[in-house]
């Protein structure tokens, strides 16, 4: 079967190409990709090329398909896996395989390491190791984009689980955020910060009593507050505050005051910016845990840490950058119970938009860029649909659908796009 895919050959060398996929073996699965959300990790992979730890050294001669936040439909299942999967099943994939015999060893991952599987393609061959590691996950919800966004949601779920706390006199660490504690999410209204807010507010068990979300961009704070409202948080027992620290004379002291003077139990840093990291350290309370979530490009990135507090106040730091299988399952489960990740999405595009968008991702404002691989469409902000609709009936209808959903993407909008976009390539 022929596929169209965006392949990486080297640093910033992404090419949209059509080529023949090999016939599947009895331990492989042929699948149709429907959606993929672009990730900053793909930008880093493209920027580093073969120097990236997940990308094979011979990528110039054996290019890989990029994209790892994808969902679609299974088309043909090899006999080894026919007891577990069948044609027609919708799927999501956990790309972190931790499979020692992959192309680059334990760090091998779809979207980084494989020539025939990645999210920015029309059709892919899912290799045996994905199933062996239980990383092919069934998706039973409506639409496809929620399954694409399950991967980034799993990353913030993993971050919550990775935080830990201690008890004086004991060497045992209690994993998880503090239930009923005080949490701060710094630089928290980008795509991943929004995912974290959404999860914290929808979570049924462990949750903070106070959630402070900071940024220095008031328009992004306003958008976040309109989607994940203070009123909704209050109905779930959470005191939610959106704070512009750029307008504060002394952010550390003022944030501490909001905490009641004690500091915060759990602080998540969603931007690799030295002052933000240091601010996070400074607002930690006793036994506070700082989670450095945002991975920097610079391998020499560093920030100051108050070691007096490490010694006497038991403050500590962890770093997370992804989720595991359990986190993906939890993400899919919580979405089936009502969590809609549409608030993360600000742009829609086709496969033709992937290469340029990926290589310029840090410079494109907004949240998640959602790609539908079977259409041709420039990367387009949802906020531009109404203007485009003045001369284009397709965008007029799409804008009206989004308006019915508080200006957000939706299963209804996705279904309309896939059925009516003039460049849709059907299976």
């Amino acid at each position: 079967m022929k596929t169209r895919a965006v392949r990486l050959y080297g640093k910033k060398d992404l090419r949209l190409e059509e080529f023949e996929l090999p016939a599947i073996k009895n331990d492989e699965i042929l699948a149709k990709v429907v959606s993929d959300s672009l990730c900053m990790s793909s930008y880093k992979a493209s920027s580093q090329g073969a120097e990236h730890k997940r990308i094979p050294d011979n990528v110039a001669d054996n290019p890989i398909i990029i994209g790892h936040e994808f969902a679609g439909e299974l088309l043909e299942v090899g006999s080894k896996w026919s007891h577990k999967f069948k044609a027609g099943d919708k799927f999501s994939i956990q790309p972190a395989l931790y499979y020692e015999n992959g192309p680059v060893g334990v760090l091998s991952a779809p979207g980084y390491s494989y020539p025939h599987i990645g999210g920015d393609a029309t059709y892919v061959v899912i290799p045996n190791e994905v199933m062996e590691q239980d990383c092919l996950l069934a998706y039973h919800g409506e639409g496809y984009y929620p399954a694409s966004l399950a991967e980034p949601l799993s990353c913030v779920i993993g971050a919550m689980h990775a935080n830990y706390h201690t008890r004086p006199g004991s060497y045992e660490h209690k994993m998880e955020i503090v239930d009923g504690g005080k949490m701060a999410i710094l630089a928290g209204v980008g795509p991943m910060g929004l995912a974290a807010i959404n999860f914290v507010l929808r979570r049924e068990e462990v949750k903070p009593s106070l959630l402070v979300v900071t940024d220095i961009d008031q328009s992004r704070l306003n958008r976040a507050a309109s989607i994940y409202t203070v009123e909704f948080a209050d109905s779930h027992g959470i005191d939610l505050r959106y704070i512009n620290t750029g307008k504060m004379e002394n952010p550390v002291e003022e944030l501490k005051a909001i905490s009641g003077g004690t500091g915060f139990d759990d602080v998540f840093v969603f931007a690799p910016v030295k002052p933000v990291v240091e601010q996070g350290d400074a607002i930690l309370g006793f036994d506070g845990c700082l989670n450095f979530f945002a991975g920097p490009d610079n391998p020499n990135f560093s920030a100051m840490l108050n070691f007096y507090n490490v010694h006497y106040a038991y403050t500590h730091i962890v770093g997370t950058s992804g989720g595991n299988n359990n986190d993906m399952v939890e993400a899919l489960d919580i979405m089936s119970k009502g969590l809609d990740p549409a608030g993360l999405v600000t742009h829609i595009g086709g496969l033709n938009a992937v290469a340029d968008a990926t290589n310029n991702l840090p410079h494109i404002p907004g949240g998640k860029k959602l790609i539908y691989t079977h259409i041709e469409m420039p990367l387009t902000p949802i906020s531009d649909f109404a203007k485009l609709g003045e001369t284009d009936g397709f965008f007029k209808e799409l804008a009206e659908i989004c308006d019915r959903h508080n200006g957000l993407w939706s299963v209804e909008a996705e279904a309309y796009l896939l059925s009516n976009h003039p460049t849709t390539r059907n299976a």
Side-chain angles (χ1 to χ4, degrees), residues 399-423:
E400 291 174 356
I401 294 172
C402 291
D403 284 346
R404 290 200 292 270
H405 295 271
N406 194 30
L408 303 179
W409 196 240
S410 63
V411 171
E412 183 184 4
E414 177 183 85
Y416 178 81
L417 174 87
L418 294 175
S419 298
N420 294 279
H421 195 278
T423 66

Side-chain angles (χ1 to χ4, degrees), residues 120-180:
D120 293 312
T122 51
Y123 301 96
V124 297
V125 174
I126 306 175
N128 177 63
E129 50 259 44
V130 174
M131 286 72 78
E132 287 278 6
Q133 299 297 96
D134 288 326
C135 289
L136 179 62
L137 303 172
Y139 172 61
H140 303 293
E142 294 185 54
Y144 291 93
Y145 77 88
S148 281
L149 294 170
E151 197 280 334
L153 180 59
S154 78
C155 295
V156 300
I157 291 173
M160 302 288 163
H161 295 330
N163 267 32
Y164 72 93
H165 298 276
T166 63
R167 187 173 74 250
S170 170
Y171 299 116
E172 293 184 8
H173 292 169
K174 182 180 180 182
M175 305 305 297
E176 262 293 353
I177 64 169
V178 172
D179 187 24

